Amino acid sequence: MAIREILEVPDPRLKAVSEPVTTFDDELRTLVDDMFETMYEAPGIGLAAIQVGVPLRVLVIDLQPDDPDAEPEVCNHGGHEHTHQPTKKEPRLFINPEILDPSDEHSVYNEGCLSVPEIYAEVERPARCRVRWQDLDGKTHEEDLEGLMATCLQHEMDHLEGILFIDHLSRLKRNMALKKLDKLRKAA
Ligand code: GNR
Ligand code: NI
């Protein structure tokens, strides 16, 4: 397992359209393991393979409900000391996902993205959808999603098409977000 580098805007690879997975082999298993480790370490609630530079239709999600009463745990993996909130992990893997039946009803969520660090903006998306996907054995599954899971899945599906959440904003808001990111980077 390894933590991989997360690409950030304006890396042109984030605009690539990812290719379907056709080979369910050990290389894919390693990619998935590394994606989970990278997402948990970031930390984020989702990650698309293209965010670690691999243009394949693979997503990982864990909404990680934090237990506010739990003691934080000090860790030293990845070479630097940091703390983890103990959480009940709920890792979800989606290979070759497709969205079916998006609801007419929309919901708005204040989204962020590991590839657009420290920028948040409200994005409107269908409130519910059905998703069809494959697992590591190539077996097909379907499930109805709602709430943050539906929002996150749609955010990750966008990455597979080379779309970022800031692409859903007006040009003015997008430019403001990118300027803010520039400023934050210069200050760091
Ligand atoms: O960590 C993340 N949080 C988040 C919040 C609201 C909507 C979507 C997300 S996904 C994001 C991680 C990420 O960039 N996935 O691509
Ligand atoms: Ni993202």
Side-chain angles (χ1 to χ4, degrees):
M1 295 247 287
I3 289 165
R4 301 201 190 186
E5 189 191 335
I6 297 176
L7 307 183
E8 294 182 1
V9 282
D11 193 306
R13 288 172 288 180
L14 290 168
K15 295 208 167 147
V17 176
S18 294
E19 295 290 337
V21 170
T22 54
T23 324
F24 295 79
D25 58 5
D26 282 346
E27 194 180 331
L28 179 64
R29 275 162 221 278
T30 302
L31 170 66
V32 167
D33 283 350
D34 289 357
M35 285 174 65
F36 275 115
E37 195 177 351
T38 302
M39 175 183 73
Y40 286 128
E41 199 263 351
I45 61 170
L47 192 72
I50 192 61
Q51 291 180 278
V52 294
V54 179
L56 286 175
R57 303 186 82 84
V58 178
L59 312 176
V60 295
I61 293 181
D62 191 333
L63 302 183
Q64 275 182 321
D66 272 0
D67 176 359
D69 296 323
E71 290 291 317
E73 172 197 4
V74 179
C75 261
N76 204 335
H77 65 76
H80 57 288
E81 191 167 280
H82 55 284
T83 57
H84 288 277
Q85 292 300 331
T87 52
K88 216 191 267 168
K89 280 197 169 59
E90 235 180 86
R92 301 291 311 264
L93 168 65
F94 300 90
I95 298 171
N96 298 331
E98 296 167 61
I99 288 183
L100 316 165
D101 309 329
S103 61
D104 292 333
E105 191 195 325
H106 283 59
S107 64
V108 174
Y109 201 91
N110 196 30
E111 297 195 15
C113 181
L114 294 171
S115 297
V116 194
E118 295 180 77
I119 302 296
Y120 298 86
E122 292 194 334
V123 177
E124 186 181 328
R125 301 181 187 274
R128 291 174 300 284
C129 61
R130 193 164 179 79
V131 59
R132 180 187 294 151
W133 76 97
Q134 286 174 286
D135 62 22
L136 274 173
D137 299 320
K139 191 172 174 261
T140 301
H141 303 262
E142 268 188 41
E143 190 176 316
D144 290 311
L145 304 179
E146 60 178 14
L148 182 56
M149 191 64 194
T151 295
C152 188
L153 193 278
Q154 291 175 72
H155 171 118
E156 303 310 336
M157 293 284 304
D158 272 354
H159 279 298
L160 304 186
E161 301 301 321
I163 295 167
L164 299 171
F165 81 98
I166 52 172
D167 297 326
H168 289 280
L169 308 178
S170 67
R171 189 174 353 165
L172 178 71
K173 284 192 178 169
R174 182 167 53 252
N175 287 341
M176 278 167 55
L178 291 171
K179 263 190 193 148
K180 187 173 168 189
L181 180 54
D182 237 26
K183 220 174 138 184
L184 287 167
R185 279 171 171 160
K186 278 177 185 141

